[in-house]
């Protein structure tokens, strides 16, 4: 079937591959790193995850938009993805919770997309060649010479070396109260959560367990952490290359030196690895989707996890070793991917600190890894009990 000129859209990959389809969402031009995600559902949560900033998302599932979008399922206040690629876009949503169509949501946030392309072929190329720079062009831009579009795609910077967390973080601190999420009584602990691109579900899980969460901007220093007098510190997920996060690495080292309990997710795991002295590296095509098997070393159990990362920590699997930054003591890889042996978690044995690369708040299993929040709560309450002076006369 021919595509009307005013509805034409092109996906151009940096290797020169061009896919012709129809415009979806906003019309115009967008550039980013093309990556694929394997989720069959949860497209709204995917699009509103700030970790996708600067990336053009290719959905491997062929039917997208069936359940529409609503305000309750957002993981942040906006869509941070650079572009969107689907095969068959739903003509209308079919769900009682739908408030708008996905097409309307993409247009409202200015996200340039493309539909009616072979996403299986695109995914196979990204798996073979690796994630690559790309562009989606529609409207008047789709009529431009393909050689000109390819030159624009190749001129954009790579995701390697990109510093993006500061572009998606909160501008002002805010607090998530346990009482807002079903907790009765006084908070049992308080934490400082550094927002590097935090998903809304994460502080909700902590608050529902009695934790008051102070969400702080990505540029917060140790004085800003101490100002909220936390019982522990959390570093969130987020976009970009962890090699650029020097400020957050130094901050985390100060937090560990202070003896505060620490928990990190995704980007927070990579920063933890760097703080301990390990390197990070870029994966060929990354892990993205809610169906990633991970082995938990402590229990021997396999968890089905949700993931979204293009970088990983370079640390040895097997027996614990002394951290390259030796003052932090012994460290072990606590979790790893059963698909490719990528590090999926780290744990200090001599300090109350751990992290995971996957997203326990996403309920992929659906409850395989929620106990990680309980583990952090235990560290917090133990630290609070150890540092709170005994009541006089008790």
């Amino acid at each position: 079937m021919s595509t009307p000129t005013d509805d034409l859209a092109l996906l151009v990959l940096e290797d020169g591959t061009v896919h012709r389809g129809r415009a979806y969402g906003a019309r115009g031009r967008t550039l980013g790193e093309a990556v694929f995600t394997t989720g069959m559902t949860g497209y709204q949560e995917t699009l509103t995850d700030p970790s996708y900033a600067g990336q053009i998302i290719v959905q491997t599932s062929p039917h997208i938009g069936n359940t529409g979008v609503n305000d309750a399922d957002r993981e942040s206040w906006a869509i941070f993805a650079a572009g969107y690629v689907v095969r068959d876009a739903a003509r209308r949503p079919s769900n009682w919770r739908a408030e708008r169509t996905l097409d309307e949501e993409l247009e409202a946030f200015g996200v340039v997309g493309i539909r009616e392309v072979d996403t299986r072929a695109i995914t196979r190329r990204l798996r073979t060649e690796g994630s690559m720079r790309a562009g989606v062009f529609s409207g008047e831009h789709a009529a431009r010479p393909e050689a000109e579009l390819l030159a624009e795609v190749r001129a954009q910077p790579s995701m390697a070396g990109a510093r993006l967390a500061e572009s998606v973080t909160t501008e002002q601190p805010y607090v998530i109260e346990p009482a807002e999420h079903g907790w009765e009584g006084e908070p049992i602990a308080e934490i400082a959560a550094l927002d590097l691109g935090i998903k809304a579900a994460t502080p909700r899980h902590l608050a529902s367990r009695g934790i008051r969460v102070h969400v702080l901007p990505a540029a917060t220093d140790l004085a800003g952490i101490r100002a909220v007098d936390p019982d522990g510190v959390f570093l969130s997920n987020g976009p970009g290359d962890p090699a650029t996060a020097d400020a957050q690495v130094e901050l985390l080292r100060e937090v560990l030196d202070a003896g505060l309990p620490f928990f990190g997710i995704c980007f927070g795991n990579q920063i933890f690895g760097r703080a301990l002295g390990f390197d990070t590296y870029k994966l060929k095509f990354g892990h993205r989707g809610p169906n990633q098997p991970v082995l938990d070393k402590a229990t021997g159990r396999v968890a089905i996890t949700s993931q979204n990362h293009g970088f990983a920590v370079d640390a040895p699997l097997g027996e614990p070793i002394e951290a390259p930054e030796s003052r932090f003591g012994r460290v072990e890889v606590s979790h790893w991917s059963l698909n490719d042996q990528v590090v999926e978690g780290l744990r200090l044995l001599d300090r109350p600190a751990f992290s995971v690369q996957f997203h326990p708040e996403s309920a992929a299993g659906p409850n395989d890894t929620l106990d990680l929040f309980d583990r952090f709560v235990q560290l917090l309450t133990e630290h609070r009990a150890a540092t709170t002076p005994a009541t006089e006369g008790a």
Side-chain angles (χ1 to χ4, degrees):
M1 184 176 67
S2 62
T3 300
T5 303
D6 60 355
D7 204 25
L8 176 67
L10 303 177
L11 169 67
V12 181
L13 301 178
E14 70 172 288
D15 67 352
T17 304
V18 178
H19 293 266
R20 303 171 71 87
R22 299 179 66 187
Y24 190 42
R27 271 55 172 174
R29 157 194 174 277
T30 189
L31 301 173
E33 180 187 45
V35 300
F36 64 87
T37 182
T38 56
M40 295 180 67
T41 61
Y43 56 81
Q44 183 179 356
E45 291 87 343
T46 294
L47 282 165
T48 55
D49 178 355
S51 295
Y52 278 108
Q55 294 178 319
I56 295 172
I57 302 171
V58 179
Q59 292 276 182
T60 62
S61 181
H63 302 287
I64 297 296
N66 308 56
T67 56
V69 299
N70 60 62
D71 292 333
D73 291 342
R74 289 179 176 173
E75 288 290 358
S76 65
W77 55 271
I79 295 178
F80 290 96
Y84 204 44
V85 183
V86 304
R87 185 178 125 181
D88 296 326
R91 289 176 295 172
R92 62 179 67 88
S94 179
N95 187 280
W96 66 273
R97 298 177 68 239
E99 297 170 3
R100 297 172 297 281
T101 69
L102 178 55
D103 191 11
E104 291 169 341
E105 193 82 340
L106 293 169
E107 188 169 3
F109 283 100
V111 179
V112 178
I114 182 172
R115 59 192 171 106
E116 297 186 13
V117 291
D118 188 346
T119 53
R120 181 172 63 175
I122 296 166
T123 298
R124 287 174 66 90
R125 181 163 291 274
L126 295 177
R127 276 186 59 91
T128 303
E129 305 298 329
S131 299
M132 61 182 79
R133 292 171 294 180
V136 179
F137 304 89
S138 60
E140 62 183 19
H141 293 278
R144 294 164 53 197
E146 290 182 8
E148 186 177 306
L149 303 182
L150 179 59
E152 281 192 22
V153 167
R154 290 175 173 172
Q156 69 177 300
S158 168
M159 185 60 69
R163 182 174 178 174
L164 298 174
E166 286 80 3
S167 68
V168 300
T169 190
T170 181
E171 293 184 2
Q172 298 295 329
Y174 61 94
V175 179
I176 304 294
E177 293 286 354
E180 299 169 355
H181 297 282
W183 183 261
E184 297 180 0
E186 291 298 311
I188 60 174
E190 303 194 27
I191 67 166
L194 205 64
D195 176 9
L196 307 172
I198 198 167
K199 293 169 65 178
T202 303
R204 286 202 302 265
H205 275 291
L206 290 164
S208 69
R209 289 163 168 80
I211 307 302
R212 176 179 286 139
V213 183
H214 298 264
V215 183
L216 306 177
T220 301
D221 58 14
L222 187 62
I225 297 284
R226 291 193 181 280
V228 302
D229 192 24
D231 299 296
V233 174
F234 171 79
L235 262 61
S236 80
N237 61 290
D241 186 344
T244 67
D246 292 344
Q248 288 81 16
V249 169
E250 289 306 315
L251 171 65
L252 182 51
R253 286 173 176 163
E254 293 176 321
V255 166
L256 296 174
D257 285 334
L260 288 169
F262 166 74
F263 178 32
I265 289 176
C266 197
F267 202 52
N269 175 71
Q270 296 160 11
I271 291 171
F272 187 39
R274 284 199 57 205
L276 299 180
F278 296 113
D279 291 328
T280 55
Y281 64 98
K282 194 174 190 304
L283 295 168
K284 183 175 181 179
F285 49 80
H287 298 168
R288 297 177 181 88
N291 45 16
Q292 310 282 335
V294 167
L295 180 67
D296 182 340
K297 179 182 179 183
T299 64
R301 293 174 55 234
V302 176
I304 301 303
T305 69
S306 178
Q307 298 189 22
N308 173 18
H309 65 108
F311 294 85
V313 177
D314 186 8
L317 278 60
E319 295 303 310
I321 64 169
E322 185 176 87
E325 288 287 332
S326 59
R327 72 183 187 271
F328 298 127
R330 296 170 299 157
V331 60
E332 69 173 0
V333 173
S334 58
H335 300 75
W336 58 86
S337 169
L338 292 180
N339 286 335
D340 55 13
Q341 311 304 302
V342 164
V343 172
E344 294 289 345
L346 297 165
R347 180 171 75 100
L348 282 179
L349 304 186
D350 303 314
R351 293 174 187 251
F354 71 102
S355 63
V356 291
Q357 185 62 61
F358 50 87
H359 288 264
E361 81 287 342
S362 291
N367 299 317
D368 290 13
T369 57
L370 286 178
D371 61 307
L372 292 165
F373 291 109
D374 299 318
R375 179 178 167 193
F376 187 40
V377 170
Q378 182 179 352
L379 293 182
L380 295 171
T381 53
E382 289 173 352
H383 176 78
R384 189 180 181 107
T387 56
T388 301
T391 304
E392 242 180 77

